[in-house]
Structure formats: C-alpha cells, structure tokens
C-alpha cells in the first residue's frame, strides 16, 4: 500500500491506521464533502448518505485494485465524485433515481422492452446485457476489480446516453423506452454495488 506521496505505508513506522479510525475518518470526510453540495435532505438523511459514501469509498478503492498492483491510498481520489470511484457510482445511481422524482413518474414495469433507435441507446443496452458475464468473470477470477470496472463502464456509458438522448420527451413510446433503460441501469448499479458490499442511496 502506497500513500499519496507514492511511498510505502508500513505499520512498523506507525504510518498506517486502525480500521475503525479509517472508517470514521472516511465518514467524516464524506460528511464534509456533502455539506459543500446543495441538498434537500434532512440532517439524519445526510448522515446516512455520508456513512454510505465514506465506507463505500474505502471498500471500492480496495476492491477496484487488482491484487497484483500497488494500492495508492489517497483520500481525495477515493472520495471524488469523478473517475473510477465508489462515490461516482453511488452518485450515478442517485442521479438516475432523481429523474423519476423530478418527473413524478414511476419506473416502467419490469420487462418493458426498450426501443433501440439511437447509437447511445444501443451502447447502453449492450453494456447492460454484459452484467451476467461480468459477475461470472469476477467469480471465476476471484477478482472484484472486474466487477468494479464493469460498473464504472456502465455508469460512463449511461452518462453518454443521458447527454445524447433526452429522456423526458413528448413522445410517450420513446419516453417509456428511455425511462426503462434508466431504471434498468439504476437497478444493475444497485445490485452490482450490493455485491461489493456497498449501499446505493436514492438521494444525495
């Protein structure tokens, strides 16, 4: 394990922390980060989100690193809302769920078949179809990093889709189709995060 300066962290030198202290600091740092962002959440709900983010960030940083690679321990990178981090995936899930809250519509019923007409829709659908294979590859290789990579790629593919294809359009069929893709993406992200032992808050 390497510190932010790239130097090895050794327990004998006293540069490492106890797990409980590490988790507590993660939650405290996440709480401070959330306080800087606008939110309608109650103080209790914000505390729950901070706990999910702080602990999730530490877990994800650990699990997303292949066993054969050096582990760079950097709080700023671990808690960032951009890049291949736990908070980025948790935020992606919350952002999708906010689409339904803002529109005041329920997700389409499970099994709704999306209409694939645009390239970003097709890319997202194909990425979603790759979830079972990603879980299988993760289990076969005993490598949670493979699932982390898949979830990051899924969230990135969704962002491209969301920026290119307006979801809440007037055409009911297109709107339902794109809402179905949104809902399925959120459900896959939540399931994938749960397999990694992480929570997926609906609001942040």
């Amino acid at each position: 394990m390497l510190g932010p300066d790239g130097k090895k962290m050794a327990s004998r030198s006293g540069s490492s922390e106890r797990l409980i202290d590490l988790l507590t600091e993660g939650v405290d740092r996440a709480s401070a980060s959330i306080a800087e962002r606008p939110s309608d959440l109650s103080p209790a709900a914000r505390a729950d989100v901070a706990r999910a983010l702080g602990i999730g960030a530490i877990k994800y940083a650990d699990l997303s690193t292949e066993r054969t690679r050096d582990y760079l321990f950097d709080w700023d990178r671990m808690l960032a809302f951009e890049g291949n981090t736990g908070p980025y995936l948790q935020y992606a899930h919350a952002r999708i769920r906010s689409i339904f809250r803002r529109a005041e519509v329920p997700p389409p019923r499970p099994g709704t078949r999306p209409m694939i007409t645009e390239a970003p829709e097709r890319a997202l659908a194909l990425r979603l179809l790759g979830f079972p294979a990603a879980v299988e590859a993760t289990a076969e290789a005993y490598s949670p990093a493979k699932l982390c990579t898949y979830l990051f790629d899924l969230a990135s593919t969704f962002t491209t889709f969301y920026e290119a294809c307006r979801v809440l359009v007037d055409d009911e069929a297109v709107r339902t189709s794109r809402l179905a893709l949104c809902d399925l993406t959120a459900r896959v992200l939540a399931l994938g995060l749960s397999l990694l032992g992480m929570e997926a808050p609906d609001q942040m």
Side-chain angles (χ1 to χ4, degrees), residues 27-104:
V27 173
D28 290 344
R29 285 174 176 264
S31 181
S33 178
I34 292 173
E36 298 174 355
R37 307 168 71 91
S39 174
D40 296 329
L41 295 177
S42 67
R46 290 166 75 95
D48 289 340
V49 171
R51 182 179 184 280
L53 284 178
I55 295 177
I58 295 169
K59 285 185 177 182
Y60 191 85
D62 186 34
L63 297 175
S64 63
T65 304
E66 290 285 3
R67 295 186 303 272
T68 55
R69 298 180 57 189
D70 288 334
Y71 182 119
L72 180 63
F73 189 90
D74 183 339
W75 280 117
D76 290 338
R77 186 180 72 85
M78 289 164 55
L79 289 165
F81 284 90
E82 302 84 24
N84 188 11
T85 68
Y88 171 74
L89 297 181
Q90 290 168 312
Y91 178 71
H93 174 268
R95 190 171 85 166
I96 296 172
R97 287 303 173 207
S98 73
I99 295 171
F100 297 95
R101 286 195 304 276
R102 290 200 312 269
E104 297 183 339

Side-chain angles (χ1 to χ4, degrees), residues 10-17:
S11 58
R12 291 181 180 178
S13 65
S15 58
S16 60
E17 298 184 63

Side-chain angles (χ1 to χ4, degrees), residues 136-158:
E136 183 177 353
T138 298
E140 288 181 349
Y142 299 101
S143 174
K146 295 186 182 300
L147 180 56
C148 293
T149 297
Y150 168 81
L151 294 175
F152 174 65
D153 288 343
L154 174 61
S156 300
T157 303
F158 176 82

Side-chain angles (χ1 to χ4, degrees), residues 97 100-101 104-110 112 176 179-180 182-184 187:
R97 287 303 173 207
F100 297 95
R101 286 195 304 276
E104 297 183 339
V105 296
R109 59 182 177 81
T112 298
T176 299
L179 284 172
C182 291
D183 179 55
L184 184 55
R187 288 192 283 125

Side-chain angles (χ1 to χ4, degrees), residues 17-28 51 55 58 75:
E17 298 184 63
R18 295 187 307 161
L19 178 58
I20 185 61
D21 296 331
L22 184 69
L23 296 176
T24 299
E25 183 171 357
V27 173
D28 290 344
R51 182 179 184 280
I55 295 177
I58 295 169
W75 280 117

